[in-house]
């Protein structure tokens, strides 16, 4: 049953300006004076007691928009709240993706609010629906509706885990999930929190949220020590520079100090062997560098293809979800419309039955009142009859006594009357004679008056006939004018009805145009979001490509530096060879059997030291390459 219609006034106070479906009910924006209000209709499982309504009116919670009034209808309860502009989570998740920390903060506040509502005198619950929760202009989390256990019918079929999964995947969940999909991308603490939320109570969810926050605090402490995510790249470049300097410092350590005397050897094969060994290691390093470069190119190509595939999959998934959402909204609208019509039909039948039952009860009440009145009337008449009989008996007794008295008086009066009558008779005879004379005169006068009266009567009748004809003509004229007036009223009503139908048709066309315009704007908004996402994805790929090119450029510089090191090493070997030849001539003049043994010891020590330094150089280069490719 729909309570809100645009243009009507609810309770004669709130003028409805906008109506939209809200979960299984309606949410309207209404105006009263200069203020705006939310009006919400919620189905009831049973009639709400007065203390439930009072609890809503006195509810004061941080997240819940305050209830300023609650009206109970036959099967609904209507809530009135002050209007507060806000963006619901369903729309907010489409516009931007929140961080895990933001989602955990939302969950923490909602769980605390749910625990506070559950501890009320009459236990209450939160409706876990993205249409019921939003963020106002100040960035504060707000809740529209919270229900009463076993009284309000509007309840959520989602558990806390399914609701959290919807926030992470930016999907408006309608049904709960049985298990967590394996392809969900989130951190391990968040995955653990999601598992606890699906199978735990409010206390266990709160404990898991606290555990997540402790781990996050430890992570942020490490970031303070080693730098935040925003400074990782500069640190990485700094470390690369340090590695390059370390690699550059290796050949310098390989060279002997100028003050150290160079041992003299006559074995030219030693120098040639060292030169070949160095060249072999350099070639191995260059081959390893080329292989890493090829792997990097292959990885870039695969990464690009994977990004394209992921982008296409995300686009198809978004289109599929959008199509499913629209289909669900259409089916939901049809279901609600069918339920509304069915409810209206049942409501009409119920009202008709109530009306018939009231009429029957009214007839029975009237019949009982009539019988009661008849009984009272019968009793009253019986009492009056008995009273009348008593009074009649007393009256007869009084009359009998009165008659006896009157009889005596009458006899006395008759005697006196006879005497008087005799005198009167004589007087009457005299008077009779006078009367006869007068009657004769009176008859003559009456005859004259009769003739005069007949003449006047004829004149009156003539006047009445003329007046009757005039009144008849006036009546006919009035009837004719009345018929003309009724005809004009009928024509005027037909014209007004035609104008009303025309206005309704124009209003329907205007509403249809507004609906099409809204659909067009919604399509443009979705297209703009898709283009914006593609632009961001392209910028990200370009940024990654620039980073890979920068790394490749560093590798090329490193190869060039190694080539220069090789040339410097060859030049140093030539200088060492000349120096050895010069000292060889000097050492030939010196004798002693210890010369060959000392040369052998110096040769072995030099080979060992160079081997160690070459191994250290290879190890440092390998660590550098691992560092360069550890993020690949």
């Amino acid at each position: 049953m729909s309570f809100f219609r645009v243009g009507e006034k609810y309770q004669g106070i709130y003028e409805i300006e906008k109506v939209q479906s809200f979960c299984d009910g309606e949410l309207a924006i209404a105006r009263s004076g200069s203020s705006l209000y939310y009006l919400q209709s919620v189905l009831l499982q049973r009639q709400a007691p007065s203390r439930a309504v009072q609890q809503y009116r006195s509810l004061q919670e941080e997240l819940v928009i305050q209830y300023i009034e609650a009206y109970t209808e036959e099967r609904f309860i209507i809530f009135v709240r002050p209007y507060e502009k806000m963006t619901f989570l369903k729309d907010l998740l489409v516009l931007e993706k929140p961080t895990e920390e933001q989602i955990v903060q939302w969950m923490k506040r909602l769980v605390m609010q749910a625990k506070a509502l559950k501890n009320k005198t009459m236990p209450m619950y939160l409706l876990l629906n993205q249409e019921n929760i939003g963020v106002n202009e100040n960035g504060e989390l707000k809740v529209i509706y919270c229900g009463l256990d076993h009284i309000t019918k509007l309840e959520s079929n989602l558990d806390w885990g399914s609701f959290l999964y919807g926030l992470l995947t930016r999907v408006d969940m309608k049904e709960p999930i049985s298990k967590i999909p394996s392809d969900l991308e989130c951190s391990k603490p968040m995955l653990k929190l999601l598992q606890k939320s699906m199978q735990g109570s409010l206390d266990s969810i709160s404990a898991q949220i606290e555990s997540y926050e402790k781990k996050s605090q430890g992570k942020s402490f490490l970031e303070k020590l080693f730098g935040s995510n925003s400074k990782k790249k500069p640190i990485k470049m700094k470390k690369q520079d340090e590695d390059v300097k370390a690699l550059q410092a290796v050949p310098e350590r390989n060279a002997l100090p100028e003050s150290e005397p160079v041992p003299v050897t006559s074995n030219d094969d030693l120098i040639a062997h060292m030169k070949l060994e160095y060249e072999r290691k350099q070639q191995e390093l260059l081959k390893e560098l080329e292989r890493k470069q090829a792997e990097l190119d292959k990885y870039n190509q695969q990464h690009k293809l994977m990004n394209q595939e992921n982008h296409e999959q995300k686009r198809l998934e978004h289109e599929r979800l959008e199509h499913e959402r629209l289909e669900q909204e259409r089916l939901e609208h049809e279901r609600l419309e069918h339920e509304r019509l069915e409810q209206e039909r049942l409501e009409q039948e119920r009202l008709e039955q109530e009306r018939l039952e009231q009429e029957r009860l009214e007839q029975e009440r009237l019949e009982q009142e009539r019988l009661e009145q008849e009984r009272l009337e019968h009793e009253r008449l019986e009492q009056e009859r008995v009273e009348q009989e008593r009074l009649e008996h007393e009256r007869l007794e009084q009359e009998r006594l009165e008659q006896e008295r009157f009889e005596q008086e009458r006899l006395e009066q008759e005697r006196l009357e006879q005497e008087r009558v005799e005198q009167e008779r004589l007087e009457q005879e005299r008077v009779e004679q006078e009367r006869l004379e007068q009657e004769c005169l009176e008859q003559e006068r009456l005859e004259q008056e009769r003739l005069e009266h007949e003449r006047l009567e004829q004149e009156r009748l003539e006047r009445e006939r003329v007046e009757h004809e005039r009144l008849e003509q006036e009546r006919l004229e009035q009837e004719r004018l009345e018929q003309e007036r009724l005809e004009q009223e009928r024509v005027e009503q037909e014209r007004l009805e035609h104008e009303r139908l025309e206005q309704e048709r124009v209003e329907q066309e205007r509403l249809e145009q507004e609906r099409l315009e809204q659909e067009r704007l919604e399509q443009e908004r979705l297209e703009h979001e898709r283009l914006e996402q593609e632009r961001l994805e392209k910028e990200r790929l370009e940024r990654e490509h620039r980073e890979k090119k920068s790394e490749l450029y560093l590798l090329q510089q490193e190869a060039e530096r190694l080539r220069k090191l090789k040339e410097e090493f060859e030049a140093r070997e030539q200088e060492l060879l000349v120096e050895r030849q010069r000292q060889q001539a000097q050492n030939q003049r010196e004798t002693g059997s210890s010369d060959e043994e000392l040369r052998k010891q110096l040769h072995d020590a030099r080979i060992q030291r160079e081997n160690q330094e070459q191994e250290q150089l290879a190890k440092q280069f390998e660590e550098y390459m691992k560092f360069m490719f550890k993020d690949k």
Side-chain angles (χ1 to χ4, degrees):
M1 181 178 178
S2 177
F3 276 96
F4 309 128
R5 290 183 174 85
V6 177
E8 293 185 355
K9 280 192 174 183
Y10 181 72
Q11 296 289 331
I13 302 173
Y14 307 101
E15 184 177 359
I16 308 300
E17 294 187 352
K18 183 180 179 182
V19 181
Q20 66 183 30
S21 60
F22 183 80
C23 300
D24 289 339
E26 288 182 333
L27 184 66
I29 298 176
R31 182 180 297 276
S32 177
S34 60
S35 302
L36 290 175
Y37 297 90
Y38 280 126
L39 270 65
Q40 181 193 1
S41 63
V42 179
L43 274 170
L44 294 173
Q45 294 183 9
R46 60 184 181 89
Q47 192 65 29
S50 59
R51 61 193 182 100
V53 177
Q54 186 60 34
Q55 180 168 310
Y56 271 115
R57 290 172 179 167
S58 60
L59 187 64
Q60 297 285 341
E61 294 294 336
E62 182 181 0
L63 298 188
V64 182
I65 298 179
Q66 183 182 1
Y67 294 80
I68 61 175
E69 190 54 82
Y71 298 98
T72 55
E73 301 290 347
E74 188 171 357
R75 295 174 58 196
F76 290 81
I77 184 169
I78 309 300
F79 298 122
V80 180
R81 311 176 187 82
Y83 175 77
E84 187 171 350
K85 188 175 181 181
M86 58 191 300
T87 304
F88 294 103
L89 292 183
K90 180 179 178 181
D91 301 325
L92 183 63
L93 293 175
V94 174
L95 298 175
E96 61 182 17
K97 182 178 181 180
T99 62
E100 287 188 0
E101 288 74 14
Q102 182 64 58
I103 292 175
V104 169
Q105 288 301 316
W106 289 347
M107 284 288 292
K108 180 179 180 182
R109 300 193 67 190
L110 290 174
V111 169
M112 291 175 62
Q113 186 63 72
K115 292 169 69 175
L117 292 174
K118 191 175 181 179
N119 294 329
K120 294 291 182 184
T121 306
M122 299 184 71
M124 305 179 76
Y125 60 87
L126 275 181
L127 179 64
L128 294 179
N129 193 309
Q130 294 180 9
E131 295 180 354
N132 186 46
I133 304 168
V135 178
N136 62 10
E137 293 180 327
N138 298 327
E140 299 173 348
L141 195 67
K142 289 295 180 181
V143 175
I144 292 287
Y145 166 73
C146 50
L148 281 167
D149 288 343
H150 311 301
I151 294 179
T152 54
K153 195 173 183 180
L154 182 56
E155 296 182 0
S156 175
N157 56 353
L158 295 181
D159 52 43
W160 286 93
S162 301
F163 177 72
L164 177 57
Y165 177 78
L167 295 179
L168 289 171
T169 57
R170 302 166 69 187
V171 176
D172 186 14
M173 303 294 294
K174 299 298 182 183
E175 298 294 334
I177 58 174
S178 57
K179 63 179 182 178
I180 302 173
S182 58
D183 58 348
L184 178 63
E185 297 180 359
C186 64
S187 63
K188 290 184 179 179
M190 177 58 74
L191 184 61
K192 193 169 183 181
L193 174 59
L194 185 58
Q195 292 172 347
K196 285 287 186 180
S197 300
M198 292 183 65
Q199 56 190 3
S201 61
L202 291 175
D203 293 334
S204 63
I205 296 173
S206 298
Q208 190 61 37
I209 289 174
E210 291 179 359
S211 175
Y212 179 93
E213 289 179 339
K214 289 179 181 178
K215 292 180 180 179
S216 298
Q217 290 175 359
K219 184 178 179 182
S220 63
F221 176 72
L222 292 176
E223 287 177 352
K224 289 179 180 179
L225 290 177
F226 300 105
S228 62
N229 291 333
S230 61
K231 298 180 180 178
K232 281 183 179 179
K233 291 185 178 178
I235 291 174
K236 181 177 180 181
M237 296 303 294
K238 183 177 180 181
K239 188 172 182 179
Q240 290 175 358
D241 294 340
E242 292 175 354
D243 292 340
V244 171
K245 291 179 180 179
L247 289 172
Q248 291 175 352
V250 170
E252 296 177 359
R253 290 196 302 269
N254 290 338
L256 294 174
E258 294 181 356
S259 61
E260 182 180 353
V262 179
V264 178
T265 178
S266 61
N267 193 358
D268 296 335
D269 294 337
L270 177 61
I271 297 174
H273 177 72
M274 291 173 61
K275 183 177 180 181
L276 292 173
E277 184 68 21
Y278 181 77
E279 289 177 352
R280 184 181 62 80
K281 290 184 178 181
Q282 289 293 101
Q283 288 177 358
E284 290 178 357
L285 290 174
L286 290 173
K287 288 180 181 179
E288 182 69 19
L289 182 61
E290 291 175 354
R291 186 179 65 81
K292 294 293 184 180
Q293 178 64 33
E295 290 180 357
L296 179 61
D297 294 339
K298 184 178 179 181
Y299 170 77
N300 288 336
Q301 187 176 2
Q302 291 178 353
H303 185 66
K304 184 177 181 181
L305 292 174
M306 288 176 63
N307 286 335
Q308 291 177 354
E309 291 176 358
N310 291 335
H311 179 69
E312 183 67 19
Q313 289 177 359
K314 287 180 181 178
R315 185 184 63 80
L316 294 175
E317 181 68 16
H318 183 267
E319 291 179 355
R320 182 183 66 79
L321 293 174
E322 183 66 19
H323 178 72
E324 290 179 356
R325 184 182 65 79
L326 294 174
E327 184 66 20
Q328 287 178 357
E329 288 180 355
R330 184 185 63 79
L331 294 174
E332 184 68 16
H333 180 72
E334 291 178 356
R335 182 182 66 80
L336 292 174
E337 184 67 18
H338 178 71
E339 291 180 355
R340 184 183 65 78
L341 295 174
E342 182 67 18
Q343 289 175 357
E344 289 180 355
R345 184 183 64 79
L346 294 174
E347 184 69 16
Q348 290 178 356
E349 292 178 356
R350 185 187 61 76
L351 292 174
E352 182 66 20
Q353 290 178 357
E354 289 181 355
R355 185 184 61 80
L356 294 174
E357 182 67 19
Q358 288 178 356
E359 290 179 355
R360 185 183 63 79
L361 293 174
E362 183 67 17
Q363 289 178 357
E364 291 179 356
R365 184 184 64 79
L366 293 174
E367 182 67 19
Q368 290 178 357
E369 290 180 355
R370 185 184 62 80
L371 293 175
E372 182 66 20
Q373 289 178 356
E374 289 180 355
R375 184 183 63 79
L376 294 174
E377 183 68 18
H378 179 72
E379 291 178 355
R380 185 183 63 79
L381 293 174
E382 183 67 21
Q383 290 176 357
E384 289 180 354
R385 184 184 63 78
V386 172
E387 182 68 18
Q388 286 178 357
E389 288 179 355
R390 183 183 63 79
L391 294 174
E392 183 68 18
H393 180 71
E394 292 177 355
R395 184 184 62 78
L396 291 174
E397 183 66 23
Q398 289 178 359
E399 287 179 352
R400 186 182 62 79
L401 296 173
E402 186 71 17
Q403 284 178 358
E404 291 178 356
R405 185 179 62 79
F406 284 159
E407 184 66 22
Q408 293 176 359
E409 291 178 357
R410 184 182 64 77
L411 293 173
E412 181 66 23
Q413 287 178 357
E414 285 180 354
R415 185 182 62 77
L416 296 173
E417 183 67 20
Q418 287 177 357
E419 294 176 357
R420 184 186 64 78
V421 167
E422 183 64 23
Q423 291 177 358
E424 288 179 352
R425 185 182 62 76
L426 296 173
E427 182 68 22
Q428 284 179 353
E429 289 177 356
R430 183 184 62 79
V431 171
E432 181 67 21
Q433 290 177 356
E434 292 178 354
R435 183 185 64 77
L436 291 173
E437 291 178 358
Q438 288 178 356
E439 285 179 354
C440 182
L441 295 173
E442 183 68 21
Q443 286 178 356
E444 292 178 356
R445 185 184 63 79
L446 291 173
E447 182 65 21
Q448 291 177 357
E449 288 180 354
R450 184 182 64 77
L451 294 174
E452 182 66 21
H453 181 267
E454 289 177 355
R455 183 182 65 80
L456 294 173
E457 183 67 20
Q458 288 178 355
E459 291 177 355
R460 185 184 65 77
L461 292 174
E462 182 65 21
R463 286 195 305 271
E464 288 180 354
R465 184 184 63 79
V466 172
E467 182 67 20
H468 180 70
E469 291 177 353
R470 184 183 65 79
L471 293 174
E472 184 67 19
Q473 289 178 356
E474 290 179 355
R475 185 183 63 78
L476 293 174
E477 182 66 19
Q478 287 179 354
E479 289 179 355
R480 183 183 63 80
L481 294 174
E482 182 67 19
Q483 288 179 355
E484 291 178 354
R485 184 184 64 78
L486 293 174
E487 181 67 20
Q488 289 177 356
E489 288 180 354
R490 184 184 64 79
V491 172
E492 181 66 19
Q493 287 179 355
E494 290 178 354
R495 183 184 64 79
L496 294 174
E497 182 68 18
H498 178 72
E499 290 179 355
R500 185 184 63 78
L501 294 174
E502 183 65 21
Q503 288 178 355
E504 290 179 355
R505 183 185 63 79
V506 171
E507 181 67 17
Q508 289 177 355
E509 290 178 354
R510 183 185 64 79
L511 293 174
E512 182 66 19
Q513 289 178 356
E514 289 180 355
R515 185 184 64 78
L516 293 174
E517 180 67 18
Q518 289 178 356
E519 291 178 354
R520 183 184 64 79
L521 293 174
E522 181 68 16
Q523 290 177 356
E524 289 179 356
R525 182 183 66 79
L526 294 174
E527 182 66 18
H528 176 72
E529 290 177 356
R530 183 184 64 78
L531 293 174
E532 182 66 18
Q533 290 178 355
E534 290 178 356
R535 183 185 64 80
L536 294 174
E537 183 68 18
K538 184 177 179 182
E539 289 179 355
R540 185 183 63 79
L541 293 174
E542 289 177 354
R543 186 169 59 253
E544 291 180 355
H545 182 66
R546 287 194 299 270
E547 291 176 357
K548 296 297 185 294
K549 286 180 68 178
S550 175
E551 293 174 359
L552 179 60
Y553 175 72
L554 291 174
L555 290 173
Q556 290 174 351
Q557 283 185 340
E558 179 65 19
E560 182 67 21
R561 188 187 63 78
L562 292 173
R563 186 183 61 79
K564 291 179 179 179
L565 289 174
K566 179 181 177 183
E567 292 176 354
E568 292 177 359
F569 182 74
E570 290 175 352
R572 181 61 63 87
E573 281 185 345
Q574 292 292 332
E575 295 176 358
L576 290 174
L577 183 58
V578 172
E579 184 67 24
R580 286 193 189 96
Q581 290 176 356
R582 184 181 62 79
Q583 290 184 358
Q584 185 177 6
Q586 182 180 357
N587 290 333
Q588 284 178 356
R589 294 190 296 269
E590 296 179 0
T591 59
S593 60
S594 62
D595 184 26
E596 185 67 26
E597 185 179 353
L598 179 60
R599 186 183 299 112
K600 186 177 180 180
Q601 291 177 356
L602 292 172
H603 175 263
D604 294 339
R606 181 179 179 82
I607 290 174
Q608 186 177 2
R609 185 172 66 253
E610 288 179 353
N611 288 336
Q612 290 177 355
E613 291 175 350
Q614 290 292 338
E615 290 176 358
Q616 185 178 2
L617 174 62
K619 185 176 180 181
Q620 289 178 351
F621 184 77
E622 184 179 358
E623 290 178 355
Y624 171 73
M625 296 303 292
K626 286 182 179 179
F627 175 78
M628 291 296 293
F629 292 96
K630 70 178 182 179
D631 295 332
K632 298 345 181 243

